[in-house]
Amino acid sequence: MNDFFRRYLLPGFVFESAVIAGGYATGRELVEFFLPAGPWGGLLGMVVGMLVWSAVLMVSFELARVARAYDYRSFFKLLLGRGWFLFEIAYLLLIIIIMAVMGAAAGEITHSLFGSPKLTGSLSMIAATGLLLFYSSATIEKFLTLSVGYLYLVYVVFVIWSCIAFGDRIEASFAAAPLGDNWFKAGLTYAGYNVATIPAVLFCIRHLSRRREAIIAGALAGPLGMLPGVLFYIAMMGFYDEIGAVVLPSAFLLAKLQAPWFEWAFQIAVLLTLVDTGVAMLHAINERVAKVYEERYQLMPQMLRPALSVALMVVSVYAAAGVGLVDLIAQGYGLLTYVFIVILIVPVLTIGIWKLRQPTRIQSSITL
């Protein structure tokens, strides 16, 4: 990777890879958050979410750069002081929920593509994620970059094809449907739980050396993270009156295109997003543990990285089976959204900015 890409675009690509599986890979999340506001209201809500992401990421990247806090334990000690562990509890709960959703999705997709048992798909996702986490941060950066590049290509083709196939329906929906209510709240709450993936990006902030780089990288990360979702949402508006009742909007739209080969290409992209998000979020756990080893003047055992991650994924799959996936999503996402607004978004945009204006406070916070 050249320096420009590594400093300005890589953080946004890593953020997008962490967000997508829990944010809009199937389209159902977009329906839940934005469809009630209508076509235009939904897009306005997504703009709100994007702006919140960019604002929080700009401050977070600069805080992490100045303090050299490249793992979330160090970062939240800086931000929340002795209350840093509150984020860790919430982050672990979020990982369990997201991994449970991803395991179920991987099972469904592999079953539809290959006819294999759903458990096989879930276990394959766990194995692929664990294997990648055995490798270094540099290898993970390259994998996430390549897979996100493929993802962007698929989503661009998807929206162009949708516009050609049922563009008149998309245009009619935007022209006829009124601007709905609560689009601002939808954007804020959507940003709330997704921005919790910031720890997944911290490891690549090592490449940033100046404030200007951190600010630009953070500003770009919001649009880079939201663009595929915007494209997906526009395509869904071709069936605005029907899509709300559909469990998997992606499968619904692919069936309307009547192109089995593209369905394969899209489903492979979705499978990649599941692995991407798993790798990004679990790598943040590994970096946090590695920091503890470093403080003790030791190296984290290489095999502990995939072992720890696989253990968390197995717990997540069992949680989904025991609690019920629907209840897990409905209750977990709703509560954690507001938790992350309180312990992440508000502190970053208040305490974070205050500390950046008084650099000596950053150093004193690190020693806590």
Side-chain angles (χ1 to χ4, degrees):
M1 301 181 192
N2 61 42
D3 285 342
F4 178 86
F5 181 87
R6 189 181 290 113
R7 292 174 180 173
Y8 296 113
L9 299 179
L10 178 63
F13 272 44
V14 175
F15 176 69
E16 194 273 344
S17 68
V19 163
I20 183 167
Y24 47 78
T26 66
R28 188 63 215 173
E29 301 84 355
L30 299 179
V31 167
E32 293 292 336
F33 279 90
F34 300 115
L35 194 68
W40 287 111
L43 288 181
L44 284 173
M46 296 176 85
V47 170
V48 170
M50 180 195 73
L51 292 175
V52 172
W53 284 352
S54 290
V56 175
L57 289 165
M58 284 190 289
V59 179
S60 298
F61 288 178
E62 178 60 3
L63 272 175
R65 184 193 70 82
V66 172
R68 298 184 179 181
Y70 306 131
D71 66 282
Y72 70 78
R73 176 171 167 264
S74 301
F75 182 83
F76 282 94
K77 276 190 174 183
L78 170 67
L79 192 64
L80 302 178
R82 299 186 189 281
W84 71 269
F85 66 91
L86 295 173
F87 178 83
E88 181 161 65
I89 294 171
Y91 186 64
L92 288 172
L93 289 173
L94 181 67
I95 283 181
I96 289 174
I97 294 171
I98 289 180
M99 295 301 147
V101 174
M102 287 165 46
E108 292 288 347
I109 292 171
T110 54
H111 177 71
S112 66
L113 290 178
F114 309 108
S116 59
K118 294 179 181 178
L119 181 61
T120 302
S122 299
L123 294 177
S124 297
M125 185 207 70
I126 291 174
T129 304
L131 177 64
L132 283 163
L133 287 165
F134 178 80
Y135 294 98
S136 66
S137 294
T139 301
I140 290 173
E141 287 176 357
K142 291 177 183 178
F143 170 77
L144 294 178
T145 299
L146 290 172
S147 58
V148 169
Y150 173 70
L151 175 72
Y152 270 103
L153 175 62
V154 168
Y155 269 78
V156 168
V157 171
F158 184 46
V159 74
I160 291 175
W161 198 342
S162 296
C163 288
I164 293 173
F166 32 83
D168 54 337
R169 296 176 62 98
I170 295 174
E171 185 178 355
S173 294
F174 276 98
L179 180 66
D181 299 326
N182 296 322
W183 52 267
F184 184 85
K185 180 182 178 182
L188 182 61
T189 53
Y190 184 77
Y193 87 86
N194 279 295
V195 83
T197 57
I198 281 179
V201 192
L202 294 177
F203 76 96
C204 63
I205 303 305
R206 292 181 175 91
H207 303 304
L208 308 184
S209 58
R210 294 181 295 171
R211 173 167 292 191
R212 177 175 177 271
E213 294 169 359
I215 298 301
I216 293 176
L220 291 175
L224 286 173
M226 191 65 81
L227 179 59
V230 170
L231 296 176
F232 201 168
Y233 190 77
I234 291 172
M236 288 195 295
M237 291 307 97
F239 299 90
Y240 170 66
D241 294 329
E242 304 172 50
I243 206 81
V246 176
V247 176
L248 290 175
S250 58
F252 176 83
L253 291 177
L254 288 168
K256 294 293 183 182
L257 293 177
Q258 298 181 346
W261 68 269
F262 187 69
E263 183 175 355
W264 272 75
F266 190 91
Q267 296 287 42
I268 289 172
V270 173
L271 285 173
L272 275 175
T273 68
L274 301 181
V275 176
D276 282 352
T277 296
V279 168
M281 296 192 71
L282 291 168
H283 186 60
I285 298 285
N286 283 336
E287 290 295 284
R288 176 258 193 270
V289 175
K291 182 65 176 179
V292 175
Y293 273 91
E294 180 184 321
E295 290 171 355
R296 297 173 181 175
Y297 303 100
Q298 298 176 350
L299 286 176
M300 180 181 179
Q302 196 67 16
M303 285 304 301
L304 183 57
R305 290 177 175 270
L308 183 61
S309 302
V310 168
L312 277 170
M313 285 187 282
V314 170
V315 168
S316 301
V317 171
Y318 274 102
V323 178
L325 193 57
V326 174
D327 291 338
L328 202 61
I329 295 173
Q331 298 174 20
Y333 274 143
L335 175 61
L336 287 176
T337 292
Y338 295 102
V339 169
F340 287 122
I341 289 175
V342 171
I343 67 173
L344 199 166
I345 292 179
V346 173
V348 164
L349 296 179
T350 54
I351 298 171
I353 293 174
W354 176 61
K355 288 196 172 185
L356 283 174
R357 292 172 63 89
Q358 303 180 60
T360 56
R361 295 188 178 274
I362 294 177
Q363 296 304 318
S364 61
S365 298
I366 296 170
T367 60
L368 283 174

